[in-house]
Amino acid sequence: MSSHDPLPASPRSASHSPAPASGADGAGTLSRRVALAGLGIAPVVGAAAGLPVAHAESTPQKGAAAGQAVIRTSQPRQTIRGVGGINFPEWIPDLTPAQRETAFGTEEGQLGFAVLRIPVSDRRETWGLQLETALRAQEHGAIVFASPWYPPQEMRETFRREEPGGAGSPFPAEEAQRLEGVRVATGVSGYRGEGYVVPTTDSGAVISWDAVTAYRTAPYRLSIRYALPSQPAHLQVRINGDVIATELELPATASAKDWQEVEVDVPFEAGGNAVELVTVDGRPAVDGIRVRRIEVQEDAMRLRHDAYPAYAQHLQDFVTFMRENGVDLHAISIQNEPDYAHEWTWWTPAEMIDFLENHAGGIDCRIIAPESFQYLKDTSDPIIRSEAAWANVDILGAHLYGTQPDAFEYPLFHENKGDRELWMTEVYVPNSEPDSNERWPESLVVGESIHDSFVVAEFQAYVWWYIRRNYGPISEDGSISHRGHVMSHFSRFLRAGSQRLVLDGDGAEGVRESAYRAADGSVVIVAINSSETPLSRAYELAGMRPASVEAWRTSAEERSAVVEAPVIDSAGALRGELPAQSITTYVVR
């Protein structure tokens, strides 16, 4: 993010395992993860792993009951750290004492944020600006973590950067205009879109897209996503009929569901371009391609490679400073958005791996990496695959600017997570337009984003950008905005130690619902009805007989209002109403 709150550019347009490695790090010292465990501060994880159970959908008749959901109270998913936001007093004024209470207090009329993100300034003389808000958040039970935007001036250098920009435009293989000698399949998880393509012949299979659009005549980076659990294969790549690569090698992947990308630079003409892949040998499963224009930045910034030890000490000094002033920093990131750093510091995956392997082990705090701006797996995949680097990561952090839910699934992380956590460390949705935080029903998009982050992606924390801003949860006058009230349906009730529960049901079109076991033992149900139809809904709590239930609602007219609780019927199910374009939270005891 930048200090002047630009409207999001295209890539930012927001919408909708083996045990960890242990032993010596790259420097031959004891792994920091092993040391943390010995100190009793290893990361906390959920009691169960597995693929998420997303909300089911059906189309109800107008005025009819939407059906019944079953909450599996004995089937926990991930542990939730909570919802929160960033405070950045170097860029905008600090939260006032009253706004700190609004943000981190858990009473009626407060947000109950359980996570605070702060920056690691490159200038030590400004570190104290973080203390008052961080201390008060911590007193309310929130955890505090920090992310750097820049290294100190003396550790930087500029360079000429030629790299593909943005996430790129995806073109699924199953939607290619020409498919010859292949079949469309869906049997292996982890693909994107509606399926993937598998050759039925050892050579000569064709996947061809007729109109891959380029906005200008220039070099582009073509990425081919594939899986190949055997020996390497080779592809011929043709652009507008010209052979660009005669035998592009696709190295074997670890398994059939270990999707990787191989890249090749291609010349595109302005307008539509024909892209053709022809198998030379082997039968790789091809998920699709994406295309990114190669950007040239003459004054790009990076951390000097010889300054890695000094930068590690810089991060350690920040941890020490905060600790000596009463803030027990929960975690520290290596870099904010290393893959979208036009205004701050670029890191390649190889550079981050080098730092993690050889220098992060000496930092006595949990480590977050890589904080990709768009949850790009080609930024985090290499880190996960590097045993020595992955050993020094405690939390995989990601931002969700423009990331669609169909890109949320991450089998590689879940297969290798060990005791690591998965956090969403920055986003704002659906825009940063002034005073957009009061628009209704647009504000419901924020609730949908939190739901998808917890249920579809299985993140354990959800962190907004500025806590106080005219598009944020707290408006500039210190009042909770409509967006903020939507967030409070999760943030007030899901404190550290809550666990998401499996929720099965027939659902309804436009409805998202999720359930959690709160830290105090109660069950929290959050239901978002984005449709224009009011719905009746029933919830059965398998393994629990409800004794009491409370309800809160936010709608066009209501803001975190206490409303009539649903009826507990003779079978112990809750039966309540979900008004059109509303979000409702039930707390069941």
Side-chain angles (χ1 to χ4, degrees), residues 79-126:
T79 296
I80 303 297
R81 283 291 184 183
V83 175
I86 194 170
N87 185 50
F88 211 136
E90 281 189 88
W91 287 3
I92 65 172
D94 193 6
L95 296 179
T96 67
Q99 290 163 0
R100 292 170 195 144
E101 300 307 303
T102 299
F104 301 103
T106 58
E107 303 301 322
E108 296 286 345
Q110 298 175 324
L111 288 171
F113 280 177
V115 183
L116 171 65
R117 185 184 185 213
I118 61 175
V120 180
S121 176
D122 55 313
R123 298 178 299 131
R124 297 186 181 215
E125 62 270 21
T126 67

Side-chain angles (χ1 to χ4, degrees), residues 171-179 197 206-210 275:
F171 294 86
E174 71 276 10
E175 297 179 8
Q177 283 70 46
R178 181 182 169 206
L179 295 173
V197 167
V206 178
I207 309 170
S208 179
W209 296 264
D210 292 344
V275 176

Side-chain angles (χ1 to χ4, degrees), residues 142-183:
I143 57 176
V144 183
F145 77 97
S147 301
W149 270 249
Y150 312 91
Q153 181 69 45
E154 67 274 13
M155 301 180 195
R156 310 174 194 170
E157 66 179 4
T158 57
F159 69 105
R160 186 177 190 272
R161 179 180 176 273
E162 294 187 18
E163 290 290 338
S169 302
F171 294 86
E174 71 276 10
E175 297 179 8
Q177 283 70 46
R178 181 182 169 206
L179 295 173
E180 295 180 3
V182 301
R183 62 182 176 86

Side-chain angles (χ1 to χ4, degrees), residues 566-584:
V567 172
I568 303 175
D569 68 16
S570 58
L574 310 181
R575 298 189 176 274
E577 302 298 318
L578 305 180
Q581 297 179 335
S582 68
I583 179 170
T584 304

Side-chain angles (χ1 to χ4, degrees), residues 204-265:
V206 178
I207 309 170
S208 179
W209 296 264
D210 292 344
V212 177
T213 302
Y215 292 103
R216 66 187 68 179
T217 299
Y220 281 72
R221 181 72 48 86
L222 176 70
S223 300
I224 304 166
R225 191 168 191 258
Y226 73 99
L228 182 65
S230 58
Q231 61 188 16
H234 296 85
L235 293 177
Q236 185 182 95
V237 180
R238 301 174 185 171
I239 305 296
N240 298 319
D242 296 330
V243 176
I244 303 303
T246 304
E247 293 189 1
L248 178 66
E249 181 174 344
L250 278 60
T253 59
S255 69
K257 57 184 177 180
D258 183 21
W259 297 93
Q260 296 187 25
E261 291 190 1
V262 64
E263 298 179 333
V264 60
D265 291 345

Side-chain angles (χ1 to χ4, degrees), residues 8-147:
S10 176
R12 280 193 180 275
S13 298
S15 63
H16 273 120
S17 78
S22 61
D25 62 18
T29 58
L30 185 65
S31 166
R32 183 193 47 74
R33 290 176 59 77
V34 175
L36 286 178
L39 293 172
I41 56 173
V44 176
V45 297
L51 295 178
V53 178
H55 65 283
E57 293 189 349
S58 63
T59 304
Q61 297 178 356
K62 189 175 180 65
Q68 180 162 306
V70 178
I71 297 166
R72 311 292 180 184
T73 62
S74 61
Q75 295 183 31
R77 294 292 189 173
Q78 79 272 25
T79 296
I80 303 297
R81 283 291 184 183
V83 175
I86 194 170
N87 185 50
F88 211 136
E90 281 189 88
W91 287 3
I92 65 172
D94 193 6
L95 296 179
T96 67
Q99 290 163 0
R100 292 170 195 144
E101 300 307 303
T102 299
F104 301 103
T106 58
E107 303 301 322
E108 296 286 345
Q110 298 175 324
L111 288 171
F113 280 177
V115 183
L116 171 65
R117 185 184 185 213
I118 61 175
V120 180
S121 176
D122 55 313
R123 298 178 299 131
R124 297 186 181 215
E125 62 270 21
T126 67
W127 286 357
L129 297 175
Q130 312 295 337
L131 289 173
E132 291 188 22
T133 294
L135 284 166
R136 190 60 184 140
Q138 188 173 262
E139 289 167 358
H140 275 295
I143 57 176
V144 183
F145 77 97
S147 301

Side-chain angles (χ1 to χ4, degrees), residues 101-398:
E101 300 307 303
T102 299
F104 301 103
T106 58
E107 303 301 322
E108 296 286 345
Q110 298 175 324
L111 288 171
F113 280 177
V115 183
L116 171 65
R117 185 184 185 213
I118 61 175
V120 180
S121 176
D122 55 313
R123 298 178 299 131
R124 297 186 181 215
E125 62 270 21
T126 67
W127 286 357
L129 297 175
Q130 312 295 337
L131 289 173
E132 291 188 22
T133 294
L135 284 166
R136 190 60 184 140
Q138 188 173 262
E139 289 167 358
H140 275 295
I143 57 176
V144 183
F145 77 97
S147 301
W149 270 249
Y150 312 91
Q153 181 69 45
E154 67 274 13
M155 301 180 195
R156 310 174 194 170
E157 66 179 4
T158 57
F159 69 105
R160 186 177 190 272
R161 179 180 176 273
E162 294 187 18
E163 290 290 338
S169 302
F171 294 86
E174 71 276 10
E175 297 179 8
Q177 283 70 46
R178 181 182 169 206
L179 295 173
E180 295 180 3
V182 301
R183 62 182 176 86
V184 176
T186 58
V188 175
S189 65
Y191 62 84
R192 298 168 185 170
E194 301 300 321
Y196 55 92
V197 167
V198 181
T200 57
T201 179
D202 289 334
S203 64
V206 178
I207 309 170
S208 179
W209 296 264
D210 292 344
V212 177
T213 302
Y215 292 103
R216 66 187 68 179
T217 299
Y220 281 72
R221 181 72 48 86
L222 176 70
S223 300
I224 304 166
R225 191 168 191 258
Y226 73 99
L228 182 65
S230 58
Q231 61 188 16
H234 296 85
L235 293 177
Q236 185 182 95
V237 180
R238 301 174 185 171
I239 305 296
N240 298 319
D242 296 330
V243 176
I244 303 303
T246 304
E247 293 189 1
L248 178 66
E249 181 174 344
L250 278 60
T253 59
S255 69
K257 57 184 177 180
D258 183 21
W259 297 93
Q260 296 187 25
E261 291 190 1
V262 64
E263 298 179 333
V264 60
D265 291 345
V266 299
F268 271 7
E269 299 173 358
N273 294 264
V275 176
E276 187 173 7
L277 307 180
V278 182
T279 60
V280 176
D281 57 60
R283 299 188 184 188
V286 178
D287 192 26
I289 61 173
R290 62 188 174 110
V291 176
R292 296 174 288 170
R293 184 172 61 84
I294 295 178
E295 298 179 344
V296 177
Q297 186 179 354
E298 298 291 348
D299 60 347
M301 184 193 309
R302 68 185 174 198
L303 175 66
R304 290 199 335 266
H305 292 177
D306 64 351
Y308 282 13
Y311 184 62
Q313 187 61 53
H314 170 72
L315 298 181
Q316 176 59 55
D317 289 348
F318 185 82
V319 173
T320 301
F321 173 86
M322 298 303 290
R323 185 176 296 150
E324 289 177 346
N325 285 275
V327 178
D328 184 14
L329 205 63
H330 183 84
I332 193 164
S333 173
I334 302 302
Q335 172 65 45
N336 170 76
E337 297 181 348
D339 51 358
Y340 194 76
H342 301 85
E343 298 182 31
W344 37 85
T345 313
W346 292 100
W347 291 68
T348 66
E351 288 169 337
M352 190 159 284
I353 287 170
D354 182 358
F355 184 85
L356 288 167
E357 285 184 359
N358 299 306
H359 306 282
I363 301 172
D364 65 338
C365 187
R366 298 172 185 86
I367 297 296
I368 300 175
E371 286 206 276
S372 166
F373 87 104
Q374 205 172 50
Y375 200 14
L376 298 181
K377 309 305 190 295
D378 56 1
T379 300
S380 51
D381 280 357
I383 295 171
I384 296 175
R385 292 192 176 101
S386 170
E387 183 177 355
W390 193 228
N392 281 330
V393 175
D394 300 284
I395 299 165
L396 193 150

